[in-house]
Amino acid sequence: MFDVLIIGGGVSGVSCALVLGSAKNKLFAQDKKIGIIAHQKTSSLQDAIFNNAYGIPAGKLGSELLTESVEQLHNLYPHVAQIEQEKVLKIEGEFPDFTVVTNKNSYQTKNIIVGIGSSNMFAIEGLMHFIEPHKKAIAEKQRIQLMNDDHKVADGIYVIGTLAGHRSQLAIAAGSGAAVATDILTLWNNGISSQAHDSIRK
């Protein structure tokens, strides 16, 4: 049983996993099981190049960033389970007992975070009734989002990145994933606001 399972290995999903993973030394997070289904084939980053993203050298390819980000997650926080080459087909159950069904396996989790982009090809059974037109995308692109209130779709279900209704800017997607991670950490910390920071100070 995962405490949280992230669906999507793009900017928002990996950013969320990195923040959750970095809290491993906090007492309230030490025993939490975190997973990410890091399916990246359809990520919009595959065709991207970055010249205006904070902290990223100009000319960085999105495809390189995808590979490097999951390597960073693995190297820094190996306790975060990375599930590769699986596509989510269906979500069943309700908080705190969900079943996430992929094309190869099924997983039990207490919380789900969905960050797989805003394509109208979205087809996860169990979430289809939350779909609405994307409020910030050009209408002709036929983008969608999941209905949410500050990233929360329903009890135990969160949405991040462009699928949450944000614009397709790397910094926005990363911030969205990090925001939900800190919301989850706060829940684990009995409602006391919490976030994970690294510091060079001893």
Side-chain angles (χ1 to χ4, degrees):
M1 169 73 80
F2 286 102
D3 289 280
V4 60
L5 185 58
I6 302 162
I7 301 172
V11 178
S12 62
V14 176
S15 295
C16 185
L18 285 167
V19 174
L20 288 173
S22 69
K24 62 185 173 68
N25 293 326
K26 293 183 179 286
L27 287 176
F28 61 80
Q30 284 181 346
D31 62 343
K32 301 302 184 186
K33 189 173 180 184
I34 305 160
I36 179 170
I37 299 177
H39 186 72
Q40 296 182 322
K41 285 185 178 180
T42 59
S43 172
S44 59
L45 262 68
Q46 295 288 3
D47 302 317
I49 184 168
F50 293 100
N51 293 309
N52 63 350
Y54 180 79
I56 296 176
K60 170 67 73 176
L61 296 177
S63 56
E64 295 173 337
L65 199 58
L66 283 170
T67 301
E68 293 167 4
S69 64
V70 294
E71 288 176 355
Q72 178 185 358
L73 179 62
H74 173 74
N75 292 335
L76 288 176
Y77 310 118
H79 64 288
V80 177
Q82 290 192 41
I83 302 163
E84 299 177 351
Q85 299 180 344
E86 294 187 30
K87 184 177 181 180
V88 174
L89 304 176
K90 180 167 56 173
I91 291 172
E92 301 173 326
E94 58 186 27
F95 177 77
D97 187 13
F98 294 102
T99 300
V100 175
V101 180
T102 74
N103 58 328
K104 297 180 180 178
N105 293 294
S106 64
Y107 304 92
Q108 303 300 124
T109 185
K110 296 177 182 177
N111 295 282
I112 297 167
I113 301 173
V114 188
I116 59 172
S118 55
S119 167
N120 61 4
M121 300 300 288
F122 183 94
I124 298 178
E125 186 179 337
L127 294 179
M128 301 302 289
H129 58 290
F130 293 114
I131 289 177
E132 64 180 356
H134 199 290
K135 295 177 181 178
K136 293 183 179 178
I138 298 169
E140 289 77 14
K141 291 189 174 182
Q142 297 183 320
R143 300 297 186 192
I144 57 99
Q145 65 182 61
L146 298 186
M147 291 181 281
N148 69 92
D149 181 9
D150 191 21
H151 296 99
K152 186 174 181 179
V153 177
D155 287 344
I157 302 176
Y158 302 83
V159 61
I160 53 180
T162 57
L163 193 62
H166 297 298
R167 293 189 174 92
S168 58
Q169 199 78 15
L170 184 140
I172 297 172
S176 172
V180 170
T182 59
D183 288 345
I184 295 290
L185 294 178
T186 297
L187 287 174
W188 290 348
N189 196 26
N190 295 317
I192 300 170
S193 183
S194 181
Q195 50 194 320
H197 287 300
D198 295 318
S199 175
I200 60 173
R201 285 185 246 172
K202 302 294 183 186

